[in-house]
Amino acid sequence: MADSTVYVDSPSQSDPSEPEGDSDDMGVIGTIQADVNYDPEKDGEKAADCEEEGQKESPKKRKRRKTRAAVWKHFKEGPEDEDGSFYATCIYCGTKYKQGQQRGTSSMRNHIDKGCKQFPKNLRPAMQKLLQAGKTEEGQKVVAWVFDQMKCRQGLAKMAIAHEYPFNIVNHYYFREFLNDLQPLFKIPSRNTLRADCIKFYEEEYANLYKHLGQLKCRMSFTSDLWTNKGRDRGFMAITCHYIDDGWRLRKRIITFIPLPSPHTGKHIAEAFYDRLVMWNLDKKAFCLVLDNASSNDACINELFESTPMVDDLPVGGKLFHQRCGCHILNLIVHDGLDVLEKEIDKIRDTMKYIRHSQSRIEKFKLACSQAPVPYKRPAWDVPTRWNSTYTMLQLALELKPAIIRYGNIDKNYKYCPEDFPWDAVQVVVGHLKVFYDATMKLSGTKYPTLNLFFSEFSEVYLNIRRMSRSDYTFIVEMGQDMLVKFNKYWTMGNSLLAIGCVLDPRCKMHVVEYYMKEMSPGDVDRFIDNLKNCMKELLKGYVQANANDPSEKQARKSKRQKTSTSASTGITDTRAGLKDFMKGKKGSEPPKSELDDYLGDSIEEASLDEEFDILAWWKIKSAKYPVLSQMARDILAVPISTVASESAFSNSGRVLNPVRSSLSDESIEALLCTQDWLRASINGMKLFLYCLLY
């Protein structure tokens, strides 16, 4: 072996100061120890082997894992990037989610469960769900549960409407925390979204109620009243629709709560009322309108008859259309009578206020109750404009009479009801007012028909007033005389519908009307009964004609005639044909009896007027026997005798339109008030009882 040295010229000179062999610029690149047996091909093979070893040492690219989750059948895998990641695209809506190493499928499952709007609904039951106990037509059953964002939002809107929560409840911190703990998947909407959901729910319920009322073949009665909001200094009008559905259940729905600009004249009220009836398509199905005794309401009725075509579609030419609120009439009658005892009532009212003024006086009154002795009851005073609260206050004062007298000895500053206070007079007044109070409680009901009760209750009030006029107490006689003047004023304004409702009560019929008329006005009995019968016959005639023009009724009668003629043609020749013709002629000479005659000729039901009696169930059973008369009874018994249903809307509106929520728009006010009434009507049984406890 020999050494071989190769020299290469350096492009630069080396520094002489540096030692030889230590510089990078020496010019000598390297010394190769060459072998005499050197083979270049073997050297190439060695280089190739080195490259293969280098490739084995470099990191190997991983293969994509096989997708096993069930959710992947709803996604399409995209191309892979250099780092191994790729996008999963929803095959229904095109939404993309980044996937790859260490990335789960939770976001994809959430998208399919609640976010994909294009996901086929028929595929959802095939996916795994939670189970919950639910009620079905067959009873309790375990059903599948799937989270629904829109259903939860609708439930939140219903809660806000029914319980009168403000829209900004969704901004309350702990309310949001509660919802997140309850269901983390629920996206809490904003206050504007909640308002929009409430309006949307109102529109859906409006469409359902509009369709339901349009399908009914009965007529509707209405109550209406006005209310002024102190916060806005503007008036509102409420309209409530009353009807009996196909199942013979009494229903009421608030269909309108709208602002009514001043002045509240009869013309403006009539225009607003008629426009709303047209909007609900009920202008041709109206039967009766119940209003209070304001003069503007009388002008409203005249305006409806003169300026609108409503009168053309009303039964008997609109003679029975306008009814006055019976409870309002009783309120006016009693107020005129209580003016005689105004000083004594003021002293009792001041007594209640005096005792309730401080806790120390209440403690003294408790001591007086224990010494009397009488059970302690919290003193309460009345609202002067509501006579029934005055009656309750006087009744409470009589129960606490010994304690009030004893309290005068304990508290030396008390001076309202001394020992010589006329308690006997108060006792007599309360006894007479009980008749008015019981009548008011019966006539102000909204869960049962009240028109059939009015004639008998109002007649009892008249007989009570007449007894007061013959009392031994001078002030009671004076009260009776004042009440009698007011009673006669409104009795003459009434129409026959009040007595018709009584006649359609199978416990009463004509007997009760005849009895009370003999007691009240013996000389007018025959004339009153004849007019009542003629009015009922005229009304029934209109229903008979309406049925004759009804296409469905025509088809039913045609089928019946065809069935009769077919059976007659297939029969054997009758040898008594002459006798049959003779009997048929005799039968035709007799005047046919109407359903009204048959009804009045039947015996009355053996049940007292003070007992519970389901008059609607009775007519439902008898509808096959009296098909046309039952239709008339259905429309008449739906007439309420008071405006309590509409007035109750104002107590709710006072809470909805409190000072904090006084900026609500008119659209929101009507949506909240009407939908709240519709939601309440959908609650029944124990749910209704528990709901009413909140109010």
Side-chain angles (χ1 to χ4, degrees), residues 160 165-170 191 194-195 198 661 664 668 672:
Y165 294 139
F167 294 145
N168 64 353
I169 189 177
V170 294
R191 60 181 301 274
L194 177 58
R195 176 191 175 277
C198 292
R661 307 178 69 184
L664 287 174
S668 299
L672 292 175

Side-chain angles (χ1 to χ4, degrees), residues 121-179:
K121 294 184 178 180
N122 60 339
L123 296 181
R124 289 196 183 277
M127 302 182 67
Q128 185 177 1
K129 305 180 181 69
L130 298 177
L131 299 179
Q132 66 175 356
K135 290 184 178 181
T136 62
E137 297 179 355
E138 303 173 356
Q140 289 282 352
K141 188 177 180 180
V142 177
V143 296
W145 176 85
V146 178
F147 173 74
D148 191 334
Q149 171 74 13
M150 297 307 298
K151 185 177 181 180
C152 292
R153 279 176 51 180
Q154 186 184 78
L156 180 61
K158 290 165 67 175
M159 183 190 72
I161 293 171
H163 301 293
E164 301 166 3
Y165 294 139
F167 294 145
N168 64 353
I169 189 177
V170 294
N171 297 331
H172 296 178
Y173 177 80
Y174 286 106
F175 180 74
R176 298 179 67 90
E177 182 178 301
F178 168 72
L179 291 183

Side-chain angles (χ1 to χ4, degrees), residues 432-443:
H432 286 289
L433 290 181
K434 188 177 186 306
V435 178
F436 294 89
Y437 182 80
D438 293 342
T440 302
M441 291 296 103
K442 287 183 180 180
L443 299 180

Side-chain angles (χ1 to χ4, degrees), residues 12 33 48 71 100 107 244 304 363 400 417 454-455 461 523 605 616:
S12 59
Q33 300 294 329
V71 74
S107 58
I244 296 175
L304 285 174
E363 295 298 330
L400 299 175
C417 294
F454 182 81
F455 189 86
V461 167
E605 293 292 326
L616 298 182

